[in-house]
Amino acid sequence: MLKEDYKINIVGKQFYDEEEPGEITLNTTGTYTERGGAGFIAYKEYDEDDPKITYTSVLKVEPGRVTMMRSGSSTRLILEQGRRHLCLYDTGFGTLSVGVFTSELRSSLRREGGRLKVKYTLDIDSNLSSRNEIEVEIKPYQS
């Protein structure tokens, strides 16, 4: 059971050639913990088709590297500054192998709150699919 003691705001942007950028905003609650030199942001996401189904998403934040994981899914994206990783992405209809190159990763996360900003590209079969930005802000609830 998550002790949801942080406000978490996530803004994700996707840029495609010659199309309007897409933007998704998620305002939710969750946890932030620190273990072994890494910070962990955990929050629930609801299934778009069945709101009774939830997934727990976890962002593991280490110096120069963020790993994005989701329970009940094979999705595991590794975002590491200046490196390309082949990662698994579960589409709901099957799993794709995607290339992820991280051009920028900045984190000021602390127990008192903070921000995480990542810019990265996704490619499928080495063909650019999209440019992406994710910005996460966490704030502890005042007790």
Side-chain angles (χ1 to χ4, degrees):
M1 182 69 192
L2 290 176
K3 182 181 160 213
E4 297 178 338
D5 52 359
Y6 280 80
K7 293 180 195 174
I8 300 171
N9 297 319
I10 301 171
V11 178
K13 296 178 184 173
Q14 288 187 309
F15 303 89
Y16 304 96
D17 288 337
E18 300 172 25
E19 285 184 37
E20 288 294 311
E23 184 170 306
I24 297 171
T25 302
L26 175 65
N27 296 307
T28 187
T29 57
T31 63
Y32 177 73
T33 55
E34 294 176 341
R35 285 194 313 271
F40 295 84
I41 300 169
Y43 57 93
K44 284 193 176 104
E45 288 186 81
Y46 294 87
D47 188 280
E48 290 177 19
D49 299 323
D50 185 351
K52 294 182 186 126
I53 299 174
T54 62
Y55 305 98
T56 300
S57 291
V58 177
L59 301 176
K60 179 182 180 184
V61 183
E62 301 167 281
R65 180 178 172 130
V66 173
T67 306
M68 300 169 70
M69 301 163 277
R70 179 186 275 171
S71 67
S73 160
S74 56
T75 295
R76 185 181 193 91
L77 296 181
I78 299 169
L79 304 163
E80 186 173 4
Q81 175 91 36
R83 294 212 36 210
R84 180 179 179 268
H85 287 273
L86 275 178
C87 302
L88 294 177
Y89 183 78
D90 188 343
T91 65
F93 299 102
T95 302
L96 287 176
S97 180
V98 297
V100 182
F101 176 78
T102 305
S103 58
E104 183 181 326
L105 192 152
R106 292 188 306 212
S107 173
S108 64
L109 296 175
R110 301 177 310 285
R111 289 189 193 278
E112 302 80 37
R115 290 180 178 269
L116 170 67
K117 184 171 185 174
V118 186
K119 291 183 179 182
Y120 61 99
T121 58
L122 292 178
D123 65 79
I124 300 169
D125 293 332
S126 298
N127 294 311
L128 181 64
S129 173
S130 63
R131 290 180 297 115
N132 305 273
E133 292 178 13
I134 185 169
E135 195 159 344
V136 181
E137 183 179 12
I138 64 167
K139 292 181 186 170
Y141 277 116
Q142 304 304 321
S143 36

